[in-house]
Amino acid sequence: MAGVPLTGEQVAADWLVLNVETVGLSDEQFFKLFRDNRELHLELTVQKELLIMTLPGGKTGRRNTVISTELEIWSRQNGTGITFAPLTLFVLPNGAKRAPDASWLRLARWNALTHEQQETAPPVCPDFVLELMSKSQKKRLKVLQAKMAEYISNGAQLGWLIDPFKKNVYIYRPGEPVRCIEHPNTIDGDPVLPGFVFQVSEIW
C-alpha cells in the first residue's frame, strides 16, 4: 500500500512535515511524542513522515461534537460496536498511525485485541472512519482523499470525508468508486452502520 504523498504545495505553516525515516523513530518514541504534545495533532505516514498539525478551531470542534454525539447515540442503540473520541490514534495494517475525526469498530474486532493493545493505539483500522475538513485543510482536499483511500485499503468498510465549506460529502466503500454528494441534508451509513442517518445539514 502506497502512503499519502505530500508536497510543498500541500503543506503550509499549520502543517509541518518531518521526514524521520533515517532518524529511526520507534513506535515507543512516537507514542511518547503523541502523549506529551496533546496540544498538537500528530500522525505518522507509512513513508515515516511525521505530520504535525494544529488542533481544530471552535467551529470544527463543535462540528466534531455533533458528529461524535450522533454516532455514539446510534452505536449504543445498535450494540454491535463502539465509537472512539475524535483523534483517537490507530495503527493501520500498513504501519501508518492515523487519528480520524470519528470512528466506529465492530465489537468482535475490538474484543479480539489484547488489553494492552486496547490501552495504547489499537493496531486495527476501524470499520467506519470519518474525516471532517477544517478551515486549515480547505486547500488540501487531495491529501484528505488519499488518506481516505488509505483507510479503505487497510480494512475500513465505509468512509465519509465531509467538506463543510463547499457542503460536499465524499463516500468511500471498498471496490466502489468514490461518490461525491453535493449539499445533502442527510447521509446514511447502511449497510455498515445499519439505520444510522446523520443530519449533515446541522453542521453546514
Side-chain angles (χ1 to χ4, degrees):
M1 164 66 195
V4 180
L6 293 170
T7 69
E9 293 179 353
Q10 295 167 327
V11 180
D14 48 10
W15 271 42
L16 178 63
V17 179
L18 299 178
N19 188 323
V20 296
E21 183 175 9
T22 58
V23 174
L25 185 70
S26 68
D27 286 350
E28 183 179 350
Q29 289 171 326
F30 173 79
F31 294 140
K32 190 175 189 314
L33 278 174
F34 189 87
R35 291 191 300 267
D36 292 347
N37 295 276
R38 292 295 186 178
E39 73 281 6
L40 296 173
H41 174 186
L42 302 180
E43 295 186 348
L44 188 67
T45 72
V46 70
Q47 299 109 331
K48 301 301 180 182
E49 292 173 322
L50 179 63
L51 276 60
I52 305 173
M53 298 163 277
T54 57
L55 292 179
K59 282 190 175 181
T60 298
R62 175 57 188 163
R63 291 176 179 125
N64 265 329
T65 296
V66 171
I67 293 167
S68 298
T69 299
E70 293 300 315
L71 184 61
E72 173 66 10
I73 291 172
W74 170 84
S75 181
R76 285 178 176 269
Q77 294 173 343
N78 177 268
T80 63
I82 55 175
T83 65
F84 298 87
L87 303 183
T88 296
L89 191 71
F90 295 91
V91 180
L92 304 188
N94 70 347
K97 296 167 180 63
R98 297 295 194 177
D101 291 309
S103 54
W104 178 86
L105 180 68
R106 285 186 291 113
L107 201 55
R109 298 182 67 210
W110 173 251
N111 290 336
L113 301 176
T114 67
H115 177 73
E116 182 179 354
Q117 289 173 327
Q118 292 176 348
E119 285 291 346
T120 56
V124 66
C125 183
D127 296 277
F128 168 71
V129 291
L130 182 149
E131 291 286 343
L132 174 65
M133 184 184 290
S134 64
K135 184 178 179 181
S136 65
Q137 297 170 329
K138 288 171 65 175
K139 296 182 180 180
R140 302 190 183 93
L141 177 60
K142 290 184 178 180
V143 175
L144 292 174
Q145 288 175 328
K147 186 177 179 182
M148 296 303 299
E150 182 182 56
Y151 285 133
I152 296 299
S153 296
N154 279 271
Q157 298 302 300
L158 175 65
W160 291 350
L161 171 56
I162 300 179
D163 178 353
F165 305 99
K166 293 186 177 179
K167 300 182 180 179
N168 291 338
V169 178
Y170 298 86
I171 310 293
Y172 291 77
R173 298 181 188 274
E176 297 183 13
V178 179
R179 290 178 57 210
C180 177
I181 306 175
E182 299 180 351
H183 297 218
N185 289 319
T186 61
I187 46 178
D188 72 80
D190 289 331
V192 179
L193 309 176
F196 179 55
V197 179
F198 177 54
Q199 190 81 24
V200 68
S201 58
E202 287 187 43
I203 62 171
W204 292 153

